[in-house]
């Protein structure tokens, strides 16, 4: 709990709707959060981590942080460690959607509430977590697809740089994109492969795409970093990104926005990484036993090159 809250109140707090009490009963110290981060695979993730760390400090929340290096087994190990440490609340951004029920059930039995951030889990039991804070990834894919439908004519050959296999944003951004371009049978996805949300992965996959599909017109990258990697590969192949091959990405981090402003990316769908303040607010509420929405969606926009030029001077990430 936050500093100064009485022992009596602490003794009556409930978590996970179990009717039990806070993991720190009898302790008047600050609220403790265990956070299991995906990794540091992109500029987006770095900004997300910084936001969480700064917001925890501002909110007076003790943060126990771990970097899973994009491995689910590392996140599960971290969550089990947080359970053993009897933190007040656990938050994490799942590496992939499936395989969480067992460890989340352990947290529930320990009466420690869990908050999902950025990415969802695929589980039939939604009592295993209190709420999910993050973007609507399907909508992000839809925005990307809608732009392509409205800004191209005639046959269009697309290659897709997917995020980490099995990750919620990779699954949903693909789904939303495909649903929108279905209105145009002449838009075809010629190849789709994971670049693992990394710049190096995007470059490597794009190099292979250019060899096997020299007629590519458009790159749809599930994040800016893979799009930036694709730009390197396109330039190395003697083509002009943004002109010879149009590029659509998701995130809107500074490097991506600069490439957009420079005309090397054509359109970016925003995915806001600054979730820290909202996360800390939700954490305090769930530990206090307050009801919170099961789904909290962040507000986001889209950017053209002109809009990127205007937004860049004040961009926080």
């Amino acid at each position: 709990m936050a500093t100064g809250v009485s022992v009596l109140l602490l003794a009556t707090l409930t978590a996970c709707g179990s009717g039990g009490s806070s993991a720190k009963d009898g302790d008047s110290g600050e609220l403790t959060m265990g956070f299991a981060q995906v990794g540091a695979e992109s500029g987006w993730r770095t900004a997300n981590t910084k936001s969480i760390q700064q917001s925890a400090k501002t909110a007076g929340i003790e943060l126990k942080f771990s970097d899973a290096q994009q491995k689910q087994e590392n996140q599960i190990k971290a969550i089990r460690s947080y359970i053993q440490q009897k933190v007040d609340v656990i938050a994490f951004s799942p590496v992939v959607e499936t395989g969480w029920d067992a460890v989340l059930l352990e947290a529930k039995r320990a009466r420690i509430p869990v908050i999902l951030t950025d990415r969802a889990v695929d589980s039939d039991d939604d009592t295993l977590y209190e709420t999910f804070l993050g973007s609507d990834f399907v909508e992000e894919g839809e925005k990307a697809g809608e732009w392509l439908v409205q800004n191209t004519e005639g046959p269009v050959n697309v290659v897709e740089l997917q995020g980490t296999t099995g990750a919620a944003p990779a699954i949903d951004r693909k789904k939303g994109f495909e649903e929108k371009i279905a209105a145009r049978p002449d838009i075809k996805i010629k190849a789709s492969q994971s670049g693992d949300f990394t710049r190096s992965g995007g470059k490597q996959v794009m190099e292979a795409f250019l060899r096997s599909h020299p007629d590519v017109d458009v790159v749809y990258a599930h994040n800016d970093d893979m799009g930036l990697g694709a730009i390197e590969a396109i330039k190395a192949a003697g083509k002009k990104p943004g002109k010879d091959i149009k590029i659509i990405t998701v995130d809107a981090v500074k490097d991506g926005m600069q490439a957009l402003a420079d005309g090397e990316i054509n359109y970016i769908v925003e995915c806001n990484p600054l979730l820290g303040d909202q996360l800390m607010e939700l954490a305090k509420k769930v530990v206090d036993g307050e009801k919170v929405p099961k789904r909290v969606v962040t507000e986001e926009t889209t950017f053209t090159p002109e809009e990127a030029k205007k937004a860049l001077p004040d961009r926080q990430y």
Side-chain angles (χ1 to χ4, degrees), residues 26-44:
D27 181 356
S28 59
E30 64 186 3
L31 185 152
T32 302
M33 171 187 288
F35 189 90
Q37 182 61 283
V38 171
E41 76 283 1
S42 63
W44 191 101

Side-chain angles (χ1 to χ4, degrees), residues 14 26 41 71 74 85 93 105 117 121 137 163 169 237 299 304 315:
T14 59
E41 76 283 1
K71 295 180 180 179
N74 290 346
Q85 294 175 62
S93 181
L105 184 58
T117 72
V121 297
F137 299 131
E299 292 187 8
T304 62
R315 203 70 181 155

Side-chain angles (χ1 to χ4, degrees), residues 181-199:
I181 66 171
R184 284 266 310 275
D186 57 346
I187 298 177
K188 299 187 183 301
I189 298 177
K190 304 294 286 186
S192 183
Q193 186 174 326
S194 173
D196 216 22
F197 283 126
T198 66
R199 194 172 303 197

Side-chain angles (χ1 to χ4, degrees), residues 257 260-263 265-267 303-310:
M257 291 284 278
L260 179 62
D262 293 342
I265 291 177
N266 302 85
Y267 191 66
F303 294 95
T304 62
E306 294 74 23
E307 290 166 339
K309 290 175 185 176
K310 294 177 183 177

Side-chain angles (χ1 to χ4, degrees), residues 16 89-92 104 107-108 112-116 128-131:
C16 281
V89 59
I90 292 171
F92 76 112
L104 293 184
K108 182 178 179 180
I112 300 175
V114 173
I115 299 173
L116 305 178
L128 295 176
Y129 61 93
E130 292 294 323
T131 184

